[in-house]
């Protein structure tokens, strides 16, 4: 057994030596071709890695013992082999276990590997590095010498070569089979380092291989599913992208065509006859709402009792369910003008909207009904139930009869609690209003399922058209009437023998089966089937076939409508010509040198003038701005300076300290905001002043005054000063108030004059207060025949006692002591004047203020020529100069504040005000009610009427020309 093992080991070592050389050569990127088979060389190189380290070491030792050639770079090859051994050992171990049967085969392999001899001693025995290279070269030289010295027998040599070739062929075949088997298994079982690591983790967690495989398969399926979904989404978006690119190319082509033929296309666009007529009616609806002048143009007025089927008849004529529906409640709350026109597509559009509703799509129909209901409810204001505001829309489609219909709210006989108190009368007035047009075609709708005696509409129709020359009677819900009523009674109604009213024609229609979801096509089919099988068509019947179905009704109404239009349009055009001539004559007599300018034109002119005056605002000089700002600032600040700074400081022992405290508190809190308020009022005042100056110019037009004033007031109300200006002013004012020394004589004189003027102004105000309190003087009473009241006499008595106190103590404090109040009161009681202490104090305040201001004026006069002493001695000056210094500081604050406000006005606020005025003008330009309110007068009203009449006449003439061409 040992001999067999040794022989096997020797054969294996011999085989490995040959291929080990091949592997080393491959590391040097050299193509080693043994027996002309490079693929085998590669396979051999790969199979070398299958052997263990002990086996490879044995092969190398045997190679050296035989003297076979070893490349110089063997040391580096060994290093690479060791690295590859550590990296690939586990992989091939698992691969061998999978091929041979798993763990048992791996265990046998480890046992067999342990049975091999230990050849690690070769690593210590063999030289390393440069020594190994020298040893390799020596072995090569020895081999060449031995080969030359020993002459081998040719027969033995040939025999050895044959054996070697046979052995090599057998080994190659077995190696190829093994490699192919390994490749086949590798395609099914491929394990990486991550797989091995995962297996190790699974084993550590105690999870079996089957469970881990199931989880892996599940995750793998999820990944594949996600990949499939991602692929489908990518394909979907790719298709959408291609579709959008295609549409983009088509739109681009259409745009280029439209751009090229823009002028030609504009010439080809021509309005239809019914559209032109509808526009004329729209113009007339805003001009003559009472039919008192010339709007007697024909239109079809649809009237009837509530829930009689008016709207259903109109929808049947329009071939679309375009109106909202309700269960017994009032749905039509405002007049709806529907212009029917023939067109290639069945669409609807509101007069004031660009959207077209495709009536072949249920979604668009729902949107249209929702929009109609919204407009109806929006037109009802102020608690009303119905409105006179007209909702205008156009319906076009194949086979539609051209006409203009007006659907009115249904006539009611009883009001519900949720209706306005005047709903019934409002509907009656509205219905009479539309039927009173002598050329209006009345489409009288009667519910056939109720008793004819309960009808309310027939009486109204008889009042407006007693001869029935423009009335068409329509009996609805005939299918229900046939079941409930006597057919003979229905025949009498349709032959005009039951109602006293007269009509041009009588028609019977069926407008549905009571189902909201039925389409118009289904309703029409049901109507045709009903009349084909109806008992009304028996031989005894008097109803003709042309008297039934909505189709015949629409043909008859359209025919009568156009006949009426052709008969009356010329008369209406002549009436408007006469109206225009009268208005033009009146204009020439009243305004011979002015052109007829409507509100829009006048508004544009006023807009230009207002904006020009805003530009003039920025041209005001800096000096004028500072004067206006100084005046406005002192007007805002003077009261605070006297009441909260000057007078309280005068009461304290330390005047300057109190002044510093008061001024700093003022600058940190109220002063910046008050300054901004003063600046804004100054800007407003200057702008109004410019407007007033513009009124005095020769070319001023007073018709714009109301508009200009309203625009300016609204812009000023909206405009606010920038917030950051307050913070900026606070810093400037605090820094300015820190300066407490007057720098030169000029500033001193200005401060003295400022103090004197301010005190004198306050003295005037105080004298006015005293005059009202104590009454007029003796001279005034004699010259104007006036007398003192009882209260004024008491005040004079109190004043006399108070003057004594001030005369005795000129430096009296602002308040009276208790002893002084008691003395004054007792002295007055001796004179039979009984007053309380509060009455005395009220009288004391203005008296003392006048006394204080007079003293301040004297001090200011004393300080006129005291600047030299002040500059030399400062605060210790013999003459009290604290008042002048205080007002000098106030004056400096006003100067720097006005300068900052002026810059803010010129650089920012004037421009912001300009923007506000433009915004207000833009809003007013879109508000017709506002323009009518602000631009009024005989001149405006006459011009507006004349312009409208001209416009209507032009449209009438255009329609008449087209109508004559159609004939």
């Amino acid at each position: 057994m040992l001999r067999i093992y040794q022989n096997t080991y020797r054969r294996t070592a011999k085989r490995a030596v040959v291929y080990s050389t091949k592997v080393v050569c491959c590391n040097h990127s050299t193509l080693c071709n043994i027996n002309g088979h490079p693929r085998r060389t590669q396979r051999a190189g790969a199979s070398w890695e299958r052997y263990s380290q002990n086996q490879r070491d044995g092969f190398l030792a045997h190679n050296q013992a035989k003297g076979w050639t070893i490349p110089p770079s063997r040391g580096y090859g060994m290093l690479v082999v060791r690295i590859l051994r550590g990296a690939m050992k586990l992989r091939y171990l698992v691969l061998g276990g999978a091929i041979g049967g798993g763990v048992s085969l791996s265990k046998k392999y480890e046992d067999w590997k342990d049975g091999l001899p230990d050849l690690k001693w070769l690593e210590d025995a063999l030289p390393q590095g440069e020594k190994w290279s020298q040893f390799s070269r020596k072995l090569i030289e020895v081999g060449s010498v031995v080969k030359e010295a020993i002459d081998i027998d040719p027969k033995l040599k040939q025999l050895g070569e044959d054996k070697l070739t046979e052995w090599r062929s057998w080994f190659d075949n077995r190696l190829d089979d093994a490699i192919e088997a390994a490749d086949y298994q590798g395609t099914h079982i491929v394990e990486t380092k991550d797989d091995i690591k995962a297996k190790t983790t699974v084993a550590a967690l105690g999870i079996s291989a089957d469970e881990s495989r199931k989880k892996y398969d599940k995750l793998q399926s999820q990944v594949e599913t996600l990949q499939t979904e991602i692929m489908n989404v990518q394909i979907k978006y790719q298709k959408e992208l291609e579709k959008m690119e295609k549409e983009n190319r088509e739109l681009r082509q259409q745009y280029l065509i439209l751009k090229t033929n823009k002028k030609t296309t504009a010439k080809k666009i021509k309005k239809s006859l019914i559209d032109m007529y509808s526009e004329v009616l729209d113009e007339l609806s805003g001009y003559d709402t009472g039919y008192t002048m010339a709007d007697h143009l024909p239109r079809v007025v649809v009237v009837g009792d509530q829930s009689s089927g008016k709207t259903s008849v109109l929808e049947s004529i329009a071939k679309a369910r375009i109106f909202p529906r309700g269960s017994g409640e009032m749905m039509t709350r405002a007049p709806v003008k529907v212009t029917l026109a023939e067109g290639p597509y069945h669409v609807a559009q509101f007069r004031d909207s660009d959207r077209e509703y495709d009536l072949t799509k249920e979604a668009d129909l729902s949107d249209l009904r929702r929009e109609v209901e919204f407009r109806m409810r929006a037109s009802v204001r102020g608690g009303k139930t119905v409105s006179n505001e007209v909702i205008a829309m156009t319906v076009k489609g194949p086979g539609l009869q051209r006409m203009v219909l007006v659907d009115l709210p249904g006539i009611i006989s009883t009001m519900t609690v949720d209706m306005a108190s005047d709903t019934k009368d409002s509907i009656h007035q509205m219905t009479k209003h539309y039927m009173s047009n002598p050329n209006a075609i009345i489409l009288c709708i009667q519910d056939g399922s109720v008793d004819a005696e309960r009808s309310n509409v027939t009486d109204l129709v008889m009042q407006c058209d007693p001869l029935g020359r423009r009335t068409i009677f329509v009996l609805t819900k005939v299918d229900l009437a046939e079941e409930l009523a006597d057919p003979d009674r229905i025949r009498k109604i349709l032959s005009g023998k039951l109602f006293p009213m007269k009509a041009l024609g009588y028609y019977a229609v069926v407008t549905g089966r009571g189902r909201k979801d039925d389409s118009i096509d289904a309703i029409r089919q049901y109507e045709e089937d009903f009349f084909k099988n109806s008992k009304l068509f028996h031989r005894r019947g008097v109803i003709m076939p042309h008297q039934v179905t909505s189709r015949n009704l629409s043909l008859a109404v359209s025919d009568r409508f156009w006949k009426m239009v052709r008969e009356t349009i010329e008369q209406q055009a002549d009436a408007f010509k006469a109206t225009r001539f009268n208005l033009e004559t009146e204009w020439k007599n009243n305004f011979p040198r002015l052109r007829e300018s409507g509100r829009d034109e006048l508004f544009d002119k006023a807009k230009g003038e207002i904006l020009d005056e805003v530009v003039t605002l920025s041209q005001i000089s800096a000096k004028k701005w500072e004067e206006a700002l100084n005046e406005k600032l002192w007007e805002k600040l003077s009261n605070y300076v006297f009441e909260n700074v000057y007078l309280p400081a005068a009461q304290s022992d330390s005047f300057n300290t109190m002044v510093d405290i008061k001024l700093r508190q003022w600058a940190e809190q109220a002063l910046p905001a008050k300054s901004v308020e003063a600046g804004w009022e100054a800007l407003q005042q200057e702008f109004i002043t410019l407007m007033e100056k513009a009124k005095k110019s020769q070319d001023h037009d007073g018709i714009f005054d109301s508009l200009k004033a309203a625009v300016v007031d609204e812009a000023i109300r909206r405009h606010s000063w920038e917030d950051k200006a307050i913070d900026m002013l606070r810093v400037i004012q605090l820094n300015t108030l820190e300066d407490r020394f007057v720098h030169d004589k000029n500033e001193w004189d200005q401060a003295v004059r400022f103090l004197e003027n301010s005190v004198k102004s306050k003295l005037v105000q105080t004298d006015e207060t005293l005059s009202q309190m104590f009454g007029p003087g003796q001279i005034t009473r004699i010259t104007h025949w006036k007398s003192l009241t009882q209260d004024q006499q008491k005040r004079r008595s109190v004043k006399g006692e108070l003057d004594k106190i001030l005369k005795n103590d000129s430096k009296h404090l602002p308040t009276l002591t208790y002893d002084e109040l008691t003395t004054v009161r007792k002295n007055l009681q001796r004179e039979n004047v009984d007053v309380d202490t509060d009455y005395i104090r009220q009288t004391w305040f203005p008296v003392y203020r006048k006394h204080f201001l007079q003293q301040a004026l004297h001090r200011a006069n004393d300080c006129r020529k005291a600047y030299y002493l002040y500059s030399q001695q400062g605060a210790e000056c013999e003459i009290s100069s604290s008042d002048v210094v205080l007002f000098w500081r106030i004056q400096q604050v006003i100067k720097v504040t006005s300068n900052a406000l002026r810059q803010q006005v010129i650089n920012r606020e004037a421009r912001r005000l300009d923007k506000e005025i433009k915004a207000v003008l833009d809003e007013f330009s879109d508000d017709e009610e506002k323009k009518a309110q602000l631009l009024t007068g005989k001149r405006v009203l006459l011009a507006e009427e004349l312009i409208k009449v001209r416009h209507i006449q032009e449209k009438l003439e255009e329609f008449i020309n087209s109508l004559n061409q159609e004939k």
Side-chain angles (χ1 to χ4, degrees):
M1 187 67 183
L2 179 61
R3 184 180 300 275
I4 293 172
Y5 174 77
Q6 291 175 351
N7 292 336
T8 304
Y9 174 75
R10 292 192 187 100
R11 287 197 299 271
T12 306
K14 289 179 181 179
R15 296 171 189 168
V17 167
V18 178
Y19 290 98
S20 66
T21 308
K22 298 175 185 178
V23 174
V24 173
C25 294
C26 289
N27 288 336
H28 285 80
S29 302
T30 305
L31 181 61
C32 300
N33 188 354
I34 300 176
N35 293 333
H37 203 317
R39 182 170 177 270
R40 291 180 178 178
T41 304
Q42 296 173 1
R43 291 177 179 176
S47 63
W48 169 255
E49 299 298 331
R50 296 183 300 171
Y51 298 103
S52 65
Q53 181 63 36
N54 294 334
Q55 290 174 328
R56 288 199 290 268
D57 293 341
F59 298 156
L60 292 174
H62 181 77
N63 188 14
Q64 294 174 3
K66 292 294 183 179
W68 288 334
T69 304
I70 299 176
S73 59
R74 178 60 183 167
Y76 298 101
M78 290 293 293
L79 180 62
V80 173
V81 169
R82 290 174 182 173
I83 296 173
L84 292 175
R85 179 190 64 183
M88 303 296 291
K89 177 179 179 180
L90 190 57
R91 175 184 176 185
Y92 279 95
L93 183 61
V94 175
L95 178 61
I99 295 173
V103 180
S104 60
L105 184 60
S106 175
K107 185 176 180 181
K108 290 182 180 180
Y109 173 76
E110 292 292 333
D111 296 337
W112 176 76
K113 185 179 68 172
D114 295 336
L116 294 176
D118 188 10
L119 299 177
K120 290 185 178 180
W121 58 271
L122 290 174
E123 295 179 2
D124 300 329
L126 292 176
Q128 302 293 331
E130 185 64 21
K131 293 182 179 181
W132 173 259
S133 300
Q134 294 176 2
F135 180 73
S136 300
R137 287 195 295 271
K138 291 291 182 66
L139 288 176
I140 293 171
E141 292 176 359
V142 171
S144 61
V145 171
V146 172
K147 183 178 180 181
E148 293 176 357
I150 300 173
D151 187 13
I152 302 174
D153 187 2
K155 293 183 179 180
L156 294 175
K157 184 177 181 180
Q158 183 65 34
L159 180 61
E161 290 177 357
D162 293 339
K163 290 290 184 180
L164 182 62
T165 303
E166 182 181 356
W167 175 79
R168 185 178 293 168
S169 175
W170 174 84
F171 183 82
D172 290 339
N173 292 333
R174 295 296 300 274
L175 185 62
D176 291 341
D177 295 338
I179 291 173
E180 289 177 0
D183 291 342
Y184 176 77
Q185 294 293 334
T187 57
H188 296 277
I189 303 174
V190 179
E191 292 187 12
T192 62
K193 292 182 179 180
D194 294 336
D195 297 332
I196 296 169
K197 184 177 180 180
K199 285 186 176 181
T200 306
T201 306
V202 169
L205 293 173
I207 301 174
S208 64
D210 294 338
E211 292 179 356
S212 63
R213 175 56 61 184
K214 290 180 181 178
K215 291 183 178 180
Y216 174 78
D217 293 340
K218 184 178 179 181
L219 293 174
Q220 188 70 20
S221 63
Q222 292 178 356
V223 171
E224 292 176 355
T225 304
L226 290 175
Q227 290 177 347
T228 304
E229 292 178 357
I230 292 172
M231 184 64 67
N232 293 334
V233 171
Q234 289 177 347
I235 293 172
K236 179 181 177 182
Y237 279 107
Q238 185 66 26
K239 290 181 179 179
E240 292 292 333
L241 183 61
E242 293 175 356
K243 181 180 178 182
M244 293 178 66
E245 289 177 350
K246 183 179 179 181
E247 292 178 355
N248 188 22
R249 287 194 297 269
E250 293 176 355
L251 291 173
R252 178 68 178 172
Q253 292 175 358
Q254 294 177 7
Y255 170 72
L256 293 175
I257 293 172
L258 291 174
K259 186 177 180 181
T260 305
N261 302 327
K262 185 176 180 180
K263 296 183 180 179
T264 307
T265 306
K267 293 180 180 179
K268 291 181 180 179
I269 294 175
K270 184 179 180 180
K271 294 180 181 178
S272 64
L273 198 63
I274 190 64
D275 288 337
M276 296 168 62
Y277 185 77
S278 179
E279 288 182 0
V280 172
L281 293 181
D282 291 338
E283 294 292 338
L284 287 172
S285 64
Y287 171 68
D288 184 20
T289 57
Y291 302 114
T292 56
M293 288 187 58
D295 183 12
H296 293 163
L297 294 178
R299 70 260 287 159
V300 180
V301 180
V302 185
V303 298
D305 295 334
Q306 183 179 350
S307 301
S308 62
K310 297 185 297 74
T311 303
S312 299
V313 171
L314 200 153
E315 288 181 336
S316 182
I317 295 174
K319 297 183 180 180
R321 308 197 73 168
I322 58 178
F323 293 105
R325 294 199 171 317
S327 301
E329 62 176 324
M330 178 183 294
M331 297 306 297
T332 306
R333 298 174 178 270
V336 182
K337 183 175 77 70
V338 182
T339 303
L340 300 180
E342 191 172 7
Y345 305 107
H346 204 186
V347 295
Q349 184 178 7
F350 290 99
R351 182 182 65 181
D352 56 353
S353 175
D354 295 331
R355 178 182 177 183
E356 282 191 348
Y357 297 86
D358 189 351
L359 301 183
T360 61
K361 297 180 180 179
E362 186 59 35
D364 282 19
L365 277 171
S366 298
D367 292 343
L368 178 63
R369 290 192 289 265
R370 194 179 301 110
E371 180 66 19
V372 171
E373 184 176 4
F374 172 77
R375 289 174 179 253
M376 283 185 180
R377 295 188 181 278
S379 65
V380 179
R381 303 182 185 91
K384 300 291 184 180
T385 306
V386 294
S387 170
N388 291 321
E389 186 175 336
V390 180
I391 301 172
M393 62 187 302
T394 301
V395 178
K396 297 182 180 180
L400 291 183
Q401 301 300 317
R402 301 178 301 172
M403 68 184 88
V404 177
L405 302 100
V406 181
D407 185 23
L408 299 176
I411 298 172
I412 60 175
S413 56
T414 304
M415 293 188 301
T416 59
V417 294
D418 58 343
M419 293 183 180
S421 59
D422 60 343
T423 301
K424 182 178 179 180
D425 296 335
S426 298
I427 295 174
H428 278 234
Q429 293 175 4
M430 185 190 305
T431 304
K432 288 182 179 180
H433 170 78
Y434 277 90
M435 290 192 301
S436 61
N437 179 2
N439 295 322
I441 300 171
I442 303 173
L443 199 62
C444 179
I445 308 299
Q446 173 65 39
D447 188 351
S449 63
V450 299
D451 296 336
E453 291 79 8
R454 295 167 56 187
S455 175
N456 297 312
V457 68
T458 53
D459 294 336
L460 286 177
V461 173
M462 281 192 299
Q463 294 176 12
C464 297
D465 184 26
L467 300 179
R469 293 177 179 176
R470 50 191 181 89
T471 301
I472 297 177
F473 183 86
V474 181
L475 187 66
T476 62
K477 305 179 184 179
V478 184
D479 53 340
L480 300 177
E482 188 180 38
E483 298 176 1
L484 301 175
D486 184 8
D488 292 335
R489 183 177 178 84
I490 297 176
R491 294 190 187 97
K492 288 182 180 180
I493 295 175
L494 296 178
S495 60
K497 296 180 180 179
L498 185 63
F499 289 112
M501 63 169 288
K502 298 180 180 180
L504 289 171
Y506 298 85
Y507 290 86
V509 296
V510 175
T511 56
R513 293 174 289 182
R515 301 176 185 174
K516 294 182 179 181
D517 299 332
D518 283 351
S519 64
I520 291 296
D521 294 335
I523 293 173
R524 286 204 161 197
Q525 185 63 43
Y526 172 74
E527 183 185 40
E528 292 178 3
D529 295 341
F530 168 77
F531 282 115
K532 285 180 183 179
N533 304 318
S534 174
K535 292 183 291 185
L536 298 174
F537 284 95
H538 289 175
R539 287 180 296 176
R540 292 183 302 165
V542 295
I543 302 176
M544 302 301 293
H546 66 271
Q547 289 183 265
V548 296
T549 72
S550 302
R551 179 177 178 276
N552 292 333
L553 173 64
S554 63
L555 290 172
V557 174
S558 177
D559 182 69
R560 186 59 189 170
F561 170 77
W562 285 107
K563 184 178 181 180
M564 188 79 75
V565 168
R566 290 185 175 93
E567 291 176 354
T568 59
I569 193 67
E570 295 287 349
Q571 299 176 1
Q572 301 305 311
D574 293 339
F576 269 95
K577 287 181 182 178
T579 303
R580 175 180 176 178
F581 176 79
N582 294 335
L583 292 174
E584 288 178 345
T585 303
E586 184 179 0
W587 179 269
K588 291 178 181 178
N589 293 333
N590 290 279
F591 311 101
R593 297 182 180 180
L594 296 176
R595 187 170 58 86
E596 306 93 344
S597 300
R599 283 195 178 90
D600 293 336
E601 186 176 351
L602 291 173
F603 184 85
D604 292 338
K605 186 177 179 181
K607 180 178 179 180
E609 292 184 3
I610 295 173
L611 295 178
D612 289 342
E613 290 164 1
V614 175
V615 174
T616 307
L617 186 66
S618 62
Q619 297 177 356
I620 298 176
S621 64
K623 182 179 180 181
K624 188 174 181 180
W625 270 120
E626 290 190 359
E627 290 177 355
L629 289 168
N630 284 334
E631 182 180 353
K632 184 58 68 175
L633 280 168
W634 181 239
E635 179 184 339
K636 284 283 184 181
L637 306 178
S638 60
N639 190 54
Y640 187 91
V641 170
F642 276 94
E643 301 296 335
N644 298 82
V645 180
Y646 191 25
L647 291 175
Q651 300 176 15
S652 65
D653 297 334
S654 179
F655 180 88
N656 292 330
T657 303
M658 180 62 68
V659 166
D660 290 341
I661 295 173
K662 293 289 185 179
L663 289 180
R664 186 168 187 83
Q665 291 176 351
W666 186 36
E668 289 178 348
Q669 298 174 3
L671 179 57
K674 279 289 183 180
S675 301
V676 167
E677 183 180 345
W680 173 226
E681 291 183 2
L683 175 61
Q684 176 182 352
Q685 184 176 350
E686 289 298 320
F687 187 61
I688 293 175
T689 302
L690 290 176
M691 300 282 290
E692 294 296 330
K693 288 183 179 179
K695 292 181 181 180
K696 299 178 181 179
S697 61
Q698 296 180 353
D699 57 348
H700 172 69
D701 194 345
I703 201 171
F704 303 136
D705 291 345
S706 299
L707 176 62
K708 289 181 179 180
V711 170
V712 172
D713 292 342
E714 181 65 19
I716 290 174
R717 185 186 65 81
R718 296 183 183 181
H719 182 73
S720 61
W721 209 278
E722 285 187 333
D723 295 336
K724 61 182 181 180
I726 294 178
D727 298 331
M728 177 191 68
L729 287 176
R730 182 179 291 109
V731 174
I732 295 174
Q733 290 167 348
L734 284 171
N735 292 334
T736 304
L737 289 173
E738 290 297 325
D739 191 359
R740 301 177 181 82
F741 189 79
V742 183
H743 301 90
D744 55 34
K745 180 68 166 56
N746 186 28
E747 292 184 358
W748 179 270
D749 294 340
Q750 291 179 3
V752 171
R753 286 195 296 271
F754 179 54
L755 173 59
E756 289 179 344
N757 294 333
S758 301
V759 171
K760 288 178 180 179
S761 176
K762 284 295 178 181
L763 272 173
V764 172
Q765 297 178 7
T766 305
D767 288 337
E768 291 178 355
T769 303
L770 292 173
S771 177
Q772 294 176 1
M773 183 178 289
F774 303 128
Q778 185 175 2
I779 299 176
T780 305
R781 293 200 302 270
I782 295 174
T783 56
H784 293 80
W785 293 88
K786 292 183 177 181
S787 59
L788 298 175
T789 63
Q790 185 177 0
D791 182 71
Q792 289 173 348
Q793 291 177 357
K794 286 184 178 181
R795 296 284 184 184
R796 283 177 174 269
S797 301
V798 175
K799 181 179 179 298
E801 294 296 327
L802 296 176
D803 287 339
K804 295 176 183 180
I805 296 174
L806 292 174
K807 187 176 181 181
N808 294 329
D809 184 7
S810 61
K811 295 182 179 181
H812 196 284
L813 294 176
T815 58
L816 293 172
T817 62
Y818 177 78
D819 294 338
E820 291 174 335
L821 289 171
T822 304
T823 302
V824 171
R825 189 175 180 184
K826 289 182 177 180
N827 292 337
L828 291 173
Q829 287 177 353
R830 294 191 188 99
E831 299 177 3
N832 296 324
V833 177
D834 188 12
V835 294
D836 56 9
T837 55
D838 291 337
Y839 192 87
I840 298 172
R841 289 193 184 96
Q842 291 176 1
T843 309
W844 164 258
F845 291 142
V847 172
Y848 176 79
R849 173 168 294 189
K850 182 176 181 180
H851 171 74
F852 175 81
L853 293 174
Q854 288 175 344
Q855 286 187 332
L857 193 60
H858 289 309
R859 288 194 298 270
N861 190 29
D862 295 338
C863 292
R864 281 182 174 274
K865 298 179 181 181
Y867 178 72
Y868 178 77
L869 293 175
Y870 169 78
S871 61
Q872 296 296 324
Q873 301 177 7
E876 298 178 356
C877 180
E878 297 178 359
I879 300 176
S880 177
S881 58
S882 300
D883 301 19
V884 177
V885 174
L886 169 62
F887 277 83
W888 174 80
R889 295 170 70 182
I890 299 296
Q891 190 179 37
Q892 297 304 309
V893 168
I894 292 175
K895 285 182 179 179
V896 297
T897 303
S898 63
N899 184 37
L901 292 174
R902 175 186 61 81
Q903 295 178 5
Q904 182 75 7
V905 167
I906 295 175
N907 297 332
R908 295 288 299 168
E909 298 305 323
R911 296 177 185 177
R912 294 179 67 240
L913 180 61
D914 184 25
K915 290 182 180 179
E916 293 290 348
I917 290 175
K918 288 180 180 178
V920 173
L921 287 170
D922 291 340
E923 291 182 9
F924 283 10
S925 64
D926 298 332
D927 191 345
E928 297 297 331
E929 294 182 359
K930 182 70 72 173
K931 287 193 290 187
Q933 178 184 355
L934 298 175
L935 292 173
T936 185
K938 183 178 180 180
R939 172 185 161 188
V940 179
L941 296 176
L942 186 59
E944 280 286 308
E945 188 175 3
L946 181 55
I947 292 171
K948 286 183 179 179
V949 169
R950 284 177 180 170
H951 185 62
I952 294 171
Q953 185 188 357
E954 291 173 358
K955 286 190 173 292
L956 274 173
E957 292 176 353
E958 182 183 2
F959 172 74
I960 291 171
N961 292 333
S962 300
L963 185 64
N964 293 332
Q965 291 177 4
E966 189 181 58
K967 289 181 182 180

